[in-house]
Amino acid sequence: MIGRRAVQRVSSTKGFAKVAPHVIPALDRTVHRLTRGRVLLSAQMLPGVVLASTGARSGQERRSPLACMPEPGAGTWILVGSNFGRPGHPAWTHNLLAHPDAGISWKGEDIPVTAHLLAGEERAAVWQRLLVFWPPYATYQARVDREIRVFRLVRRAAGDSAAGGRPPG
């Protein structure tokens, strides 16, 4: 797909890393709200979710539109804290470390999830799949000194709603 390759090239640039974090999430949140959870603009190129997590310091609900790699056979989703190849970890990763019970909006469905930070061999195996799924992750990792955080989101039972684990609503 020539369009996908062009987007991958553009998304690997430093200019994109400076502009995208300010533009893409704002557009995604607006369109997601206006379509009542049915549409994410960024999901036209990559699958995406809106993560509803609890702020690590504030305790307030935070909403973050994010690209994800679904794991259909397992019914789980992989989130990558690439921050578009910028130096610091994105805030949503701190939130999940402090409060792993969260919620996602996935294709218009609200789903309670628990986030698990991947490490060691498990992370390495998923990272290799991520590089096939979206090659710019390699550029993002090469650009930063930190190890990019990778989380697996696992569906929780609907009644199992720990504080802050509400699905987006």
Side-chain angles (χ1 to χ4, degrees):
M1 254 163 61
I2 206 157
R4 186 175 172 99
R5 285 191 204 123
V7 170
Q8 288 176 352
R9 276 195 303 277
V10 169
S11 70
S12 294
T13 66
K14 288 183 181 181
F16 182 83
K18 288 181 182 178
V19 174
H22 305 288
V23 176
I24 293 174
L27 283 172
D28 267 343
R29 274 191 288 275
T30 300
V31 170
H32 190 261
R33 186 179 66 250
L34 292 173
T35 63
R36 296 189 178 124
R38 291 186 304 275
V39 177
L40 267 180
L41 285 180
S42 60
Q44 303 310 304
M45 185 51 64
L46 282 174
V49 298
V50 174
L51 173 70
S53 60
T54 301
R57 285 185 260 171
S58 71
Q60 300 297 308
E61 182 178 275
R62 302 292 182 216
R63 298 168 93 54
S64 306
L66 302 168
C68 70
M69 182 178 76
E71 296 182 300
T76 56
W77 300 263
I78 299 295
L79 298 182
V80 181
S82 68
N83 208 10
F84 298 96
R86 297 182 319 162
H89 292 290
W92 64 264
T93 68
H94 297 287
N95 296 346
L96 289 181
L97 290 173
H99 304 283
D101 286 339
I104 58 170
S105 176
W106 167 250
K107 297 183 177 181
E109 180 185 358
D110 294 337
I111 303 170
V113 296
T114 300
H116 302 276
L117 178 65
L118 302 184
E121 291 178 17
E122 183 180 26
R123 184 197 181 279
V126 169
W127 185 255
Q128 291 307 308
R129 291 184 17 236
L130 283 164
L131 295 180
V132 172
F133 177 74
W134 190 246
Y137 286 139
T139 302
Y140 299 164
Q141 183 63 78
R143 202 180 289 154
V144 298
D145 293 329
R146 65 184 172 87
E147 180 177 76
I148 290 175
R149 291 176 177 157
V150 178
F151 290 86
R152 175 173 282 124
L153 302 182
V154 177
R155 186 185 296 254
R156 285 185 290 118
D160 182 14
S161 62
R166 299 173 305 278

